[in-house]
Amino acid sequence: DTAVSQTPKYLVTQMGNDKSIKCEQNLGHDTMYWYKQDSKKFLKIMFSYNNKELIINETVPNRFSPKSPDKAHLNLHINSLELGDSAVYFCASSQGSGTYYEQYFGPGTRLTVT
Amino acid sequence: GENVEQHPSTLSVQEGDSAVIKCTYSDSASNYFPWYKQELGKRPQLIIDIRSNVGEKKDQRIAVTLNKTAKHFSLHITETQPEDSAVYFCAASIETGGSYIPTFGRGTSLIVHP
């Protein structure tokens, strides 16, 4: 059974387009995250949701908008894509709720903007 | 916010040697320190973690030490094997909104030569 899944796995698009990446977890976790991993492998948190509520929003352009329709899903919508948005985007989840729990990462979505 | 420095960025060892990766953090409120391993093209996965009330933890060939006073923690891998080759990330986590939000180091690329 897949714990954290993302679609699509690969996304190639042109500058200026709008795209979405979907994430679902079947672990019953309370908290979900989006990370961006650049070409130098730096893993940087973008957003975190706890029980559908935004709890952290790092400095990312407002072209990026997360949407959490329920506790098991956290989607990422990106408007007006730019070359610098090319990266691997990881969704993750954790138990949260004030306890020390590991992050379970999805397989990643490799976004290439041309 | 939290800042995590990780060294070295690249570590090359012979099979059977030990490998040590060091991290420092800036925020004394951080109290959970996980280490993740990311193999090429794969997702990051937790390999070991340590909480702020513990100085050392060991799991087979992997150990982690924490010095809260100096704000640094280290990963030790003994008897390295080629399958240990990967990028390793340290993280320092602070509780925010009921969840532990990690700040990751920039990663160490470990290469184990057979």
Side-chain angles (χ1 to χ4, degrees):
Chain A
D1 254 0
T2 303
V4 182
S5 59
Q6 292 178 232
T7 53
K9 189 168 175 62
Y10 300 97
L11 185 52
V12 181
T13 188
Q14 290 185 326
M15 285 175 55
N17 285 348
D18 302 339
K19 290 293 178 185
S20 292
I21 306 172
K22 295 186 177 181
C23 178
E24 177 181 1
Q25 55 96 2
N26 62 5
L27 298 166
H29 286 169
D30 295 323
T31 308
M32 295 185 72
Y33 312 78
W34 276 109
Y35 288 89
K36 178 181 181 181
Q37 187 171 46
D38 61 25
S39 58
K40 294 185 178 180
K41 300 294 185 185
F42 184 40
L43 200 60
K44 183 168 171 55
I45 193 166
M46 301 173 69
F47 302 101
S48 178
Y49 271 72
N50 181 277
N51 282 316
K52 300 197 306 174
E53 298 291 325
L54 181 67
I55 58 170
I56 188 166
N57 179 356
E58 291 295 314
T59 307
V60 298
N62 57 14
R63 298 182 294 104
F64 290 79
S65 54
K67 294 277 194 304
S68 183
D70 55 56
K71 210 172 77 164
H73 296 83
L74 180 63
N75 303 324
L76 183 65
H77 189 75
I78 315 170
N79 288 327
S80 303
L81 279 155
E82 299 177 358
L83 292 176
D85 298 332
S86 296
V88 179
Y89 292 84
F90 285 100
C91 176
S93 72
S94 69
Q95 186 65 28
S97 301
T99 49
Y100 310 90
Y101 280 116
E102 73 178 275
Q103 305 234 331
Y104 290 81
F105 285 83
T109 295
R110 182 174 293 277
L111 171 65
T112 303
V113 182
T114 62
Chain B
E2 176 63 277
N3 182 48
V4 177
E5 298 282 340
Q6 182 172 348
H7 299 280
S9 57
T10 305
L11 180 57
S12 184
V13 300
Q14 288 297 127
E15 183 177 359
D17 288 350
S18 294
V20 180
I21 302 171
K22 298 182 179 183
C23 290
T24 60
Y25 61 99
S26 60
D27 194 333
S28 56
S30 290
N31 56 3
Y32 173 59
F33 306 89
W35 286 86
Y36 288 82
K37 175 183 180 183
Q38 186 178 23
E39 296 177 355
L40 189 63
K42 301 282 184 64
R43 72 191 79 190
Q45 291 189 287
L46 182 78
I47 54 170
I48 196 167
D49 55 13
I50 192 166
R51 304 173 188 183
S52 59
N53 59 349
V54 176
E56 185 173 356
K57 183 176 178 180
K58 190 172 181 180
D59 182 4
Q60 299 183 346
R61 296 185 298 107
I62 294 173
V64 58
T65 58
L66 171 66
N67 183 327
K68 280 178 58 181
T69 304
K71 297 199 195 75
H72 67 70
F73 55 114
S74 301
L75 177 71
H76 304 252
I77 306 174
T78 58
E79 300 171 25
T80 53
Q81 301 166 2
E83 50 266 38
D84 294 330
S85 296
V87 178
Y88 291 80
F89 294 95
C90 65
S93 302
I94 297 176
E95 184 177 5
T96 304
S99 298
Y100 278 87
I101 306 299
T103 298
F104 284 87
R106 298 193 72 95
T108 296
S109 179
L110 174 64
I111 303 164
V112 180
H113 299 281

